[in-house]
Amino acid sequence: MRSLIAVIAGLLILAAANYRIFEKETLLAHGRTVILELAPVDPRSLMQGDFMALDFKVANAIGRSGDVSATDSAEGCAVLQLDDNGVGSFARADGHTPLSDNEVRIRWKIRHGRVQLATNAFFFQEGHADLYDDAEYGEFRVDDDGDSILTGLRDKNLTPLGKKVGDE
């Protein structure tokens, strides 16, 4: 009986993990590309090992908007307005109103007293830090529900840097 329970539990765990993988792959394949400007990060912690600490100007604007609770468990959605290049800026808190063609919803959450979007770090292969020295933007894929995933970094001219997530 114990082995049957263990097998069922194992299958449920595998099913849940595979479903999350499927969700992320779908987001990569079909999400809308949104580019967000990086905000300055303490240079003493900018490069540590094989990742870059990230902060985004949009996240700071969401935090200053007054629509965000300061509790560490707070989360919500904001509406970003996209320019002709797909660069997003904070437009308003999400009131679940219809979006125009140049707007997207993006989920945020409070972690350690700060608004965080999909991630606060970009991981890359060890020894490749110099490829990302000129990073000024983060490239995301965002779905209609506001779920997002960071897929790469771009320079001041919006040129992709290094290898994007999902590239073969």
mmCIF file of all heavy atoms in Angstrom, residues 64-90:
data_model
loop_
_atom_site.group_PDB
_atom_site.id
_atom_site.type_symbol
_atom_site.label_atom_id
_atom_site.label_comp_id
_atom_site.label_asym_id
_atom_site.label_seq_id
_atom_site.Cartn_x
_atom_site.Cartn_y
_atom_site.Cartn_z
ATOM 1 N N ARG A 64 6.074 53.378 -6.692
ATOM 2 C CA ARG A 64 5.798 54.774 -6.321
ATOM 3 C C ARG A 64 4.364 55.186 -6.611
ATOM 4 O O ARG A 64 3.942 56.267 -6.214
ATOM 5 C CB ARG A 64 6.748 55.709 -7.062
ATOM 6 C CG ARG A 64 8.179 55.643 -6.609
ATOM 7 C CD ARG A 64 9.012 56.766 -7.239
ATOM 8 N NE ARG A 64 8.884 56.824 -8.689
ATOM 9 C CZ ARG A 64 9.685 56.195 -9.555
ATOM 10 N NH1 ARG A 64 10.673 55.450 -9.107
ATOM 11 N NH2 ARG A 64 9.508 56.310 -10.859
ATOM 12 N N SER A 65 3.604 54.352 -7.301
ATOM 13 C CA SER A 65 2.274 54.754 -7.772
ATOM 14 C C SER A 65 1.250 54.922 -6.659
ATOM 15 O O SER A 65 0.217 55.526 -6.865
ATOM 16 C CB SER A 65 1.748 53.737 -8.788
ATOM 17 O OG SER A 65 1.400 52.525 -8.131
ATOM 18 N N GLY A 66 1.502 54.364 -5.486
ATOM 19 C CA GLY A 66 0.525 54.442 -4.409
ATOM 20 C C GLY A 66 -0.514 53.347 -4.479
ATOM 21 O O GLY A 66 -1.371 53.243 -3.608
ATOM 22 N N ASP A 67 -0.455 52.516 -5.515
ATOM 23 C CA ASP A 67 -1.412 51.421 -5.676
ATOM 24 C C ASP A 67 -0.859 50.103 -5.149
ATOM 25 O O ASP A 67 -1.471 49.061 -5.340
ATOM 26 C CB ASP A 67 -1.772 51.245 -7.161
ATOM 27 C CG ASP A 67 -2.435 52.483 -7.731
ATOM 28 O OD1 ASP A 67 -3.334 53.015 -7.066
ATOM 29 O OD2 ASP A 67 -2.027 52.911 -8.817
ATOM 30 N N VAL A 68 0.294 50.164 -4.504
ATOM 31 C CA VAL A 68 0.981 48.955 -4.071
ATOM 32 C C VAL A 68 1.032 48.913 -2.553
ATOM 33 O O VAL A 68 1.432 49.873 -1.915
ATOM 34 C CB VAL A 68 2.421 48.923 -4.657
ATOM 35 C CG1 VAL A 68 3.208 47.761 -4.110
ATOM 36 C CG2 VAL A 68 2.366 48.880 -6.164
ATOM 37 N N SER A 69 0.647 47.781 -2.001
ATOM 38 C CA SER A 69 0.775 47.548 -0.561
ATOM 39 C C SER A 69 2.219 47.191 -0.265
ATOM 40 O O SER A 69 2.862 46.489 -1.042
ATOM 41 C CB SER A 69 -0.152 46.404 -0.144
ATOM 42 O OG SER A 69 0.181 45.957 1.139
ATOM 43 N N ALA A 70 2.733 47.636 0.849
ATOM 44 C CA ALA A 70 4.141 47.390 1.185
ATOM 45 C C ALA A 70 4.374 46.035 1.847
ATOM 46 O O ALA A 70 5.491 45.718 2.201
ATOM 47 C CB ALA A 70 4.651 48.494 2.095
ATOM 48 N N THR A 71 3.332 45.238 2.005
ATOM 49 C CA THR A 71 3.536 43.948 2.653
ATOM 50 C C THR A 71 4.237 42.988 1.714
ATOM 51 O O THR A 71 4.066 43.049 0.496
ATOM 52 C CB THR A 71 2.190 43.329 3.092
ATOM 53 O OG1 THR A 71 1.401 43.078 1.931
ATOM 54 C CG2 THR A 71 1.434 44.253 4.028
ATOM 55 N N ASP A 72 5.050 42.096 2.284
ATOM 56 C CA ASP A 72 5.845 41.187 1.469
ATOM 57 C C ASP A 72 5.029 40.154 0.713
ATOM 58 O O ASP A 72 5.551 39.483 -0.154
ATOM 59 C CB ASP A 72 6.890 40.479 2.335
ATOM 60 C CG ASP A 72 8.289 40.989 2.041
ATOM 61 O OD1 ASP A 72 8.420 41.949 1.267
ATOM 62 O OD2 ASP A 72 9.237 40.415 2.583
ATOM 63 N N SER A 73 3.758 40.024 1.005
ATOM 64 C CA SER A 73 2.948 39.045 0.285
ATOM 65 C C SER A 73 2.069 39.697 -0.784
ATOM 66 O O SER A 73 1.311 39.020 -1.460
ATOM 67 C CB SER A 73 2.069 38.269 1.271
ATOM 68 O OG SER A 73 1.193 39.164 1.930
ATOM 69 N N ALA A 74 2.181 41.014 -0.945
ATOM 70 C CA ALA A 74 1.342 41.719 -1.907
ATOM 71 C C ALA A 74 1.739 41.349 -3.336
ATOM 72 O O ALA A 74 2.904 41.122 -3.641
ATOM 73 C CB ALA A 74 1.460 43.224 -1.708
ATOM 74 N N GLU A 75 0.737 41.283 -4.191
ATOM 75 C CA GLU A 75 0.966 41.066 -5.617
ATOM 76 C C GLU A 75 -0.202 41.636 -6.386
ATOM 77 O O GLU A 75 -1.259 41.892 -5.836
ATOM 78 C CB GLU A 75 1.182 39.596 -5.941
ATOM 79 C CG GLU A 75 0.121 38.666 -5.454
ATOM 80 C CD GLU A 75 0.495 37.210 -5.685
ATOM 81 O OE1 GLU A 75 1.552 36.778 -5.218
ATOM 82 O OE2 GLU A 75 -0.288 36.536 -6.364
ATOM 83 N N GLY A 76 0.006 41.867 -7.667
ATOM 84 C CA GLY A 76 -1.052 42.425 -8.500
ATOM 85 C C GLY A 76 -0.602 42.539 -9.932
ATOM 86 O O GLY A 76 0.387 41.941 -10.351
ATOM 87 N N CYS A 77 -1.338 43.355 -10.693
ATOM 88 C CA CYS A 77 -1.022 43.589 -12.102
ATOM 89 C C CYS A 77 -0.989 45.084 -12.358
ATOM 90 O O CYS A 77 -1.696 45.859 -11.719
ATOM 91 C CB CYS A 77 -2.076 42.969 -13.010
ATOM 92 S SG CYS A 77 -1.918 41.200 -13.236
ATOM 93 N N ALA A 78 -0.168 45.469 -13.299
ATOM 94 C CA ALA A 78 -0.101 46.845 -13.762
ATOM 95 C C ALA A 78 -0.274 46.832 -15.273
ATOM 96 O O ALA A 78 -0.062 45.813 -15.925
ATOM 97 C CB ALA A 78 1.238 47.474 -13.390
ATOM 98 N N VAL A 79 -0.653 47.967 -15.811
ATOM 99 C CA VAL A 79 -0.782 48.118 -17.254
ATOM 100 C C VAL A 79 0.404 48.945 -17.738
ATOM 101 O O VAL A 79 0.713 49.998 -17.183
ATOM 102 C CB VAL A 79 -2.110 48.805 -17.632
ATOM 103 C CG1 VAL A 79 -2.176 49.082 -19.133
ATOM 104 C CG2 VAL A 79 -3.286 47.959 -17.188
ATOM 105 N N LEU A 80 1.082 48.422 -18.751
ATOM 106 C CA LEU A 80 2.205 49.113 -19.370
ATOM 107 C C LEU A 80 1.793 49.606 -20.738
ATOM 108 O O LEU A 80 1.097 48.914 -21.478
ATOM 109 C CB LEU A 80 3.402 48.177 -19.530
ATOM 110 C CG LEU A 80 3.913 47.464 -18.292
ATOM 111 C CD1 LEU A 80 5.117 46.609 -18.647
ATOM 112 C CD2 LEU A 80 4.248 48.453 -17.197
ATOM 113 N N GLN A 81 2.230 50.809 -21.080
ATOM 114 C CA GLN A 81 2.019 51.335 -22.422
ATOM 115 C C GLN A 81 3.303 51.099 -23.203
ATOM 116 O O GLN A 81 4.394 51.373 -22.706
ATOM 117 C CB GLN A 81 1.694 52.824 -22.375
ATOM 118 C CG GLN A 81 1.374 53.389 -23.729
ATOM 119 C CD GLN A 81 0.819 54.798 -23.628
ATOM 120 O OE1 GLN A 81 0.716 55.372 -22.559
ATOM 121 N NE2 GLN A 81 0.457 55.342 -24.772
ATOM 122 N N LEU A 82 3.160 50.561 -24.414
ATOM 123 C CA LEU A 82 4.309 50.247 -25.250
ATOM 124 C C LEU A 82 4.496 51.299 -26.330
ATOM 125 O O LEU A 82 3.527 51.713 -26.970
ATOM 126 C CB LEU A 82 4.137 48.882 -25.913
ATOM 127 C CG LEU A 82 3.865 47.699 -24.980
ATOM 128 C CD1 LEU A 82 3.704 46.416 -25.784
ATOM 129 C CD2 LEU A 82 4.961 47.564 -23.945
ATOM 130 N N ASP A 83 5.759 51.704 -26.524
ATOM 131 C CA ASP A 83 6.035 52.621 -27.626
ATOM 132 C C ASP A 83 6.200 51.818 -28.924
ATOM 133 O O ASP A 83 5.985 50.601 -28.935
ATOM 134 C CB ASP A 83 7.245 53.508 -27.324
ATOM 135 C CG ASP A 83 8.575 52.759 -27.276
ATOM 136 O OD1 ASP A 83 8.638 51.579 -27.704
ATOM 137 O OD2 ASP A 83 9.560 53.361 -26.811
ATOM 138 N N ASP A 84 6.587 52.479 -29.996
ATOM 139 C CA ASP A 84 6.696 51.814 -31.296
ATOM 140 C C ASP A 84 7.753 50.716 -31.322
ATOM 141 O O ASP A 84 7.718 49.830 -32.174
ATOM 142 C CB ASP A 84 7.000 52.836 -32.399
ATOM 143 C CG ASP A 84 5.832 53.779 -32.643
ATOM 144 O OD1 ASP A 84 4.685 53.422 -32.275
ATOM 145 O OD2 ASP A 84 6.062 54.875 -33.185
ATOM 146 N N ASN A 85 8.720 50.759 -30.391
ATOM 147 C CA ASN A 85 9.776 49.746 -30.321
ATOM 148 C C ASN A 85 9.448 48.628 -29.341
ATOM 149 O O ASN A 85 10.267 47.737 -29.132
ATOM 150 C CB ASN A 85 11.106 50.388 -29.927
ATOM 151 C CG ASN A 85 11.617 51.325 -30.979
ATOM 152 O OD1 ASN A 85 11.607 51.002 -32.166
ATOM 153 N ND2 ASN A 85 12.049 52.495 -30.565
ATOM 154 N N GLY A 86 8.285 48.689 -28.697
ATOM 155 C CA GLY A 86 7.903 47.680 -27.726
ATOM 156 C C GLY A 86 8.435 47.947 -26.328
ATOM 157 O O GLY A 86 8.345 47.085 -25.452
ATOM 158 N N VAL A 87 8.973 49.152 -26.100
ATOM 159 C CA VAL A 87 9.476 49.513 -24.776
ATOM 160 C C VAL A 87 8.297 49.953 -23.916
ATOM 161 O O VAL A 87 7.520 50.832 -24.298
ATOM 162 C CB VAL A 87 10.537 50.634 -24.863
ATOM 163 C CG1 VAL A 87 10.991 51.041 -23.474
ATOM 164 C CG2 VAL A 87 11.717 50.174 -25.709
ATOM 165 N N GLY A 88 8.165 49.324 -22.745
ATOM 166 C CA GLY A 88 7.032 49.575 -21.877
ATOM 167 C C GLY A 88 7.317 50.614 -20.811
ATOM 168 O O GLY A 88 8.422 50.711 -20.287
ATOM 169 N N SER A 89 6.271 51.388 -20.490
ATOM 170 C CA SER A 89 6.330 52.330 -19.373
ATOM 171 C C SER A 89 5.042 52.170 -18.579
ATOM 172 O O SER A 89 3.998 51.789 -19.123
ATOM 173 C CB SER A 89 6.497 53.771 -19.863
ATOM 174 O OG SER A 89 5.424 54.125 -20.720
ATOM 175 N N PHE A 90 5.108 52.455 -17.275
ATOM 176 C CA PHE A 90 3.950 52.289 -16.399
ATOM 177 C C PHE A 90 2.853 53.251 -16.817
ATOM 178 O O PHE A 90 3.071 54.454 -16.939
ATOM 179 C CB PHE A 90 4.362 52.538 -14.947
ATOM 180 C CG PHE A 90 3.215 52.478 -13.976
ATOM 181 C CD1 PHE A 90 2.575 51.283 -13.716
ATOM 182 C CD2 PHE A 90 2.782 53.620 -13.326
ATOM 183 C CE1 PHE A 90 1.521 51.219 -12.817
ATOM 184 C CE2 PHE A 90 1.735 53.570 -12.435
ATOM 185 C CZ PHE A 90 1.096 52.368 -12.178
#
